[in-house]
Amino acid sequence: MRLLVKANVDTERGNEAIRSGKMPQMVKEMLEHIKPEAAYFGPMDGHRTMLLVVDLPDSSQLPPTLDVLYSELNAYVEVTPVMNIEELQKGTAQLQ
């Protein structure tokens, strides 16, 4: 199950991590834990934001995979199912 994970970092928690110099290591460790196919960073909705593309074998993997975003960054997390082109073609072929 491929997902687009949007994590808006809590401003106060992000500021603390940046001031202490821990942010780069925190992000590195989170990415090693989550193992995204792709990761992008930038401002969205007025917050520091991470966009991650994650492929999980089963929905039961959501809590252990994404909890680090809540516990470490107090992030607001949105999860949206997404497909690559091959999956889209396979899915739309079933509509005919």
Side-chain angles (χ1 to χ4, degrees):
M1 173 175 58
R2 187 167 281 113
L3 306 167
L4 175 63
V5 177
K6 177 182 172 186
N8 288 342
V9 176
D10 176 72
T11 301
E12 186 175 320
R13 190 76 60 94
N15 288 346
E16 289 172 15
I18 288 171
R19 278 194 291 269
S20 69
K22 294 180 181 178
M23 183 65 95
Q25 186 63 31
M26 285 175 67
V27 170
K28 180 180 184 255
E29 290 173 5
M30 282 183 223
L31 295 179
E32 289 170 354
H33 173 78
I34 297 171
K35 297 178 180 74
E37 292 180 351
Y40 302 95
F41 308 89
M44 292 183 82
D45 304 321
H47 298 277
R48 295 175 182 103
T49 302
M50 288 188 259
L51 295 173
L52 310 173
V53 178
V54 181
D55 193 10
L56 298 179
D58 186 86
S59 61
S60 68
Q61 293 302 304
L62 277 168
T65 302
L66 301 182
D67 190 68
V68 68
L69 297 170
Y70 299 108
S71 62
E72 295 296 320
L73 294 175
N74 197 30
Y76 174 82
V77 180
E78 294 179 27
V79 178
T80 305
V82 294
M83 296 173 275
N84 63 24
I85 188 66
E86 292 84 15
E87 293 162 337
L88 177 64
Q89 291 170 338
K90 180 179 177 183
T92 56
Q94 297 176 41
L95 296 176
Q96 299 171 357

